[in-house]
Amino acid sequence: MLCLFDLDGTLIDSELGIFSCIRHALVQMQVPAPTPEALRDWIGPPLHQGFAALMDNDAAKVTAAIGHYHDRFTAIGWREHAVYPGLAPLIEGLQAAGHQLAVVTSKPRLHALPIVESLPFGAAFQHVYGPEPGNPHCEKASMIAAALADFRSAPEHAVMIGDRRFDIEGAVANRVRGFGVLWGFGSREELTLAGATAIANDPGELAGFINEAAAALAADA
């Protein structure tokens, strides 16, 4: 089975790095920072959406703010994260079982790649999908479609795993199972409304969902 993982809020708790970089950018732009509760909504969707809401959709200001964000992220922000407990054995178990693994993230690929490579289980992922410089607004649905094509996987043989509705909506758009996780930044209600096939409370439960899906496919073969 092809297992596509979101990055922020699914593999890593990246709140510290993301919040620090957003605040840095807003200081440079002389714009007051939102509350921590409001900033949590920035994790998941493309970064430009959050900045646009604070800058009256002024494209030049949004571009400048994103530039300031990337400056700090490249220097230090990419290291300001922690791997969620239980993820290492989950990933190792999936790889050992023969599943194919990839990352699908809204974070620019040039930022996501060094993070994934630095993870203790980073080598398990065969590819990292993220927006490229020439396509900064790449959506999850299109990246999932690209992964299906690259791995030559039928939708029923794939699953998208993530903590926000964008992950599940991208899965639904591609007729792929969408497994939500509750250790990240989204809620059960958000994931349910987006159409999640199942929602895991912890990595062990997620492993069970993936194994059940794989077993069902094997039985139908």
Side-chain angles (χ1 to χ4, degrees):
M1 177 169 286
L2 174 61
C3 299
L4 306 174
F5 281 83
D6 173 47
L7 182 59
D8 298 312
T10 302
L11 294 176
I12 60 171
D13 181 352
S14 50
E15 180 176 296
L16 174 61
I18 292 175
F19 284 15
S20 296
C21 292
I22 292 172
R23 291 182 179 120
H24 168 78
L26 293 176
V27 167
Q28 302 305 309
M29 299 301 297
Q30 300 183 336
V31 174
T35 64
E37 292 74 18
L39 282 178
R40 287 177 68 86
D41 290 335
W42 289 50
I43 303 178
L47 191 61
H48 76 277
Q49 292 185 14
F51 282 122
L54 295 181
M55 299 175 183
D56 299 320
N57 293 301
D58 185 311
K61 289 183 178 179
V62 171
T63 298
I66 291 175
H68 292 307
Y69 177 100
H70 287 167
D71 287 343
R72 187 186 184 282
F73 195 91
T74 299
I76 188 173
W78 75 273
R79 298 195 301 269
E80 297 175 320
H81 64 261
V83 177
Y84 286 109
L87 262 294
L90 167 69
I91 299 302
E92 292 164 3
L94 293 176
Q95 184 183 33
H99 299 295
Q100 295 177 301
L101 308 179
V103 171
V104 177
T105 175
S106 295
K107 189 185 293 299
R109 188 173 185 273
L110 63 90
H111 289 162
L113 195 56
I115 294 175
V116 173
E117 290 176 342
S118 74
L119 298 177
F121 45 77
F125 294 99
Q126 297 172 245
H127 196 85
V128 175
Y129 295 89
E132 300 288 353
N135 187 17
H137 307 324
C138 191
E139 301 295 336
K140 282 286 173 76
S142 61
M143 290 188 285
I144 293 171
L148 293 175
D150 289 345
F151 284 89
R152 298 182 179 180
S153 172
E156 62 269 22
H157 287 267
V159 58
M160 177 68 205
I161 300 147
D163 67 312
R164 297 298 310 276
R165 66 178 177 86
F166 312 98
D167 304 305
I168 305 305
E169 289 169 352
V172 171
N174 286 280
R175 297 178 291 110
V176 166
R177 292 179 181 84
F179 288 165
V181 302
L182 293 178
W183 55 81
F185 302 104
S187 66
R188 182 177 293 276
E189 180 182 15
E190 174 183 340
L191 295 166
T192 299
L193 290 174
T197 304
I199 300 174
N201 289 289
D202 55 61
E205 189 171 25
L206 175 60
F209 292 153
I210 295 172
N211 290 333
E212 288 172 9
L217 287 173
D220 291 339

